[in-house]
Amino acid sequence: MGNSYFATSESVACGHPDKLCDQVSDAVLDAILKQDPKGRVACETYVTMGLIIIGGEITTTSYVDIHALVRKVVKDIGYTKPSYGFDYHTCAILNAINSQSPDIAMGVDRGGAGDQGMMTGFACRETPELMPLPLILSHRLVKRMRDVREQNILKYLGPDGKAQVTVLYVDGKPKKATSVVLACQHAEEILDKSKQHITQAARKQIIREIALPVLKKWMDKDTKFYVNQTGKFTIGGPQSDTGMTGRKIVVDTYGGFAPVGGGAFSGKDPTKVDRSAAYMGRYIAKNIVASGIADKCYLQVAYCIGKVEPVSVLIDTFGTAKIAEGKIIKLVRDNFSLYPRGIIEALDLLRPIYYKTACYGHFGRNEKEFTWEYTDKAAKLRKLAGI
């Protein structure tokens, strides 16, 4: 079967404790940017059984009712009844937010990076979104979990869940999904008489309503499905596991198909290059692939705190480039701003757009708010590259 291998990515549902925290942190960020686009936000959230703690450093002229905002987020996610072990009516909320360090602000105010570190971008020609197929399918599966729950197609589902997809590649191209893992929080009503396993009927229903509409052409008769493999998943969300902002950076980015810089996104305003430079990295990589210069592109850009220009830029096209990678780096430097303020302006990042990014990935999305997904520079790059 040629040069074949398997690759896997996962995604987590909106009610997963870590994702709950990402959504709370980005909801706080959006609420501040609506009133104060120059606000500085580094908001962290922690959740455990019955308790949400909001912390971090925020400097702003705006006022946000943190308690009311957090309860609304928890309600929108779907934790609306005590049977889930966590709900927006009764959870305790602790606000432990402080102001940003003046030592950091001093460097950011003059246009420098808010921290040191390396940020990455990636794109590949596997899907129309120019993203890895296993990750796109995993995101679609957890989104479908939410849709069938909120539309009462599967009334017994809860907000927590995970999906994982393994894809067979042949000669570097995705061939088919070989295994699919679905973990869906559910009510006890679909357990068999032993109360230890969901019924076969429920398992088939979950596959039919969640997996089949998403996988379509990517599955065949040999595709294996693993649904709630431990038997049941009645205890989920913060009742079963703690959550923290920024613990799902591989889910948020490229599903393991490219290195990550290490910095999380959610809860950070765009002066933090952890977020804004990663968005610019995706914008650059996607335009390079969309232009036809390369079929796959990884970009790394590194910064020093307080310094305006990046300290390094790396491009890797995995042998797929039609021109030398040194020339691609020159095209990048000539046509994209890598300065923190330039990134913010180019991608219009001082807007309350971030709550939507906190679930289903920050990349590979077609919504208008996701300016880093535009391929508006692809034609120009193609012309300049002479291909």
Side-chain angles (χ1 to χ4, degrees), residues 32-236:
I32 289 170
L33 291 179
K34 283 179 183 177
Q35 304 174 56
D36 178 16
K38 295 183 178 180
R40 299 283 167 74
V41 182
C43 181
E44 307 283 348
T45 305
Y46 169 84
V47 66
T48 188
M49 186 183 294
L51 173 66
I52 300 178
I53 301 175
I54 318 296
E57 298 77 45
I58 297 177
T59 301
T60 181
T61 59
S62 66
Y63 170 75
V64 176
D65 185 337
I66 295 292
H67 283 69
L69 178 65
V70 172
R71 292 193 193 280
K72 182 180 186 306
V73 172
V74 175
K75 179 182 179 182
D76 290 347
I77 288 170
Y79 285 110
T80 56
K81 44 191 178 183
S83 60
Y84 292 139
F86 187 88
D87 71 274
Y88 79 101
H89 286 294
T90 61
C91 66
I93 300 170
L94 174 62
N95 183 348
I97 293 171
N98 295 303
S99 60
Q100 185 186 55
S101 162
D103 295 343
I104 296 175
M106 185 169 56
V108 175
D109 288 344
R110 59 174 181 257
D115 202 353
Q116 69 179 51
M118 58 279 193
M119 294 79 214
T120 65
F122 180 76
C124 61
R125 203 173 286 282
E126 289 184 19
T127 63
E129 298 88 354
L130 302 185
M131 287 284 287
L133 178 65
L135 182 62
I136 288 293
L137 293 178
S138 297
H139 284 324
R140 288 177 183 169
L141 286 169
V142 293
K143 176 66 166 60
R144 180 66 182 167
M145 285 182 195
R146 183 173 192 166
D147 290 344
V148 299
R149 171 172 57 87
E150 293 183 345
Q151 295 169 20
N152 286 323
I153 297 171
L154 298 180
K155 297 181 181 180
Y156 50 76
L157 290 186
D160 198 357
K162 285 186 175 184
Q164 180 176 291
V165 179
T166 299
V167 170
L168 168 66
Y169 285 75
V170 178
D171 295 329
K173 295 181 179 180
K175 184 80 172 177
K176 66 174 182 176
T178 58
S179 68
V180 179
V181 180
L182 296 173
C184 304
Q185 184 186 12
H186 60 85
E188 290 198 359
E189 66 190 67
I190 62 168
L191 293 176
D192 62 17
K193 292 181 180 179
S194 72
K195 300 292 186 180
Q196 296 301 312
H197 299 274
I198 63 172
T199 63
Q200 282 299 312
R203 179 182 180 275
K204 290 178 180 178
Q205 192 176 37
I206 288 170
I207 293 171
R208 183 178 69 248
E209 297 295 343
I210 295 175
L212 300 189
V214 169
L215 295 170
K216 297 177 182 176
K217 68 175 184 177
W218 293 109
M219 57 175 288
D220 63 16
K221 62 181 179 61
D222 295 321
T223 300
K224 293 181 172 60
F225 292 93
Y226 304 95
V227 179
N228 290 8
Q229 195 64 16
T230 63
K232 61 180 182 177
F233 186 5
T234 56
I235 301 173

Side-chain angles (χ1 to χ4, degrees), residues 13-22 47 79 160 236-245 247:
C14 62
H16 185 282
D18 291 333
K19 274 292 137 203
L20 186 156
C21 291
D22 286 344
V47 66
Y79 285 110
D160 198 357
Q239 185 184 18
S240 66
D241 196 8
T242 59
M244 294 183 69
T245 300
R247 289 208 298 197

Side-chain angles (χ1 to χ4, degrees), residues 288-306:
I288 288 171
V289 172
S291 72
I293 291 174
D295 292 333
K296 186 184 292 187
C297 181
Y298 166 74
L299 177 140
Q300 182 199 82
V301 58
Y303 291 88
C304 170
I305 189 168

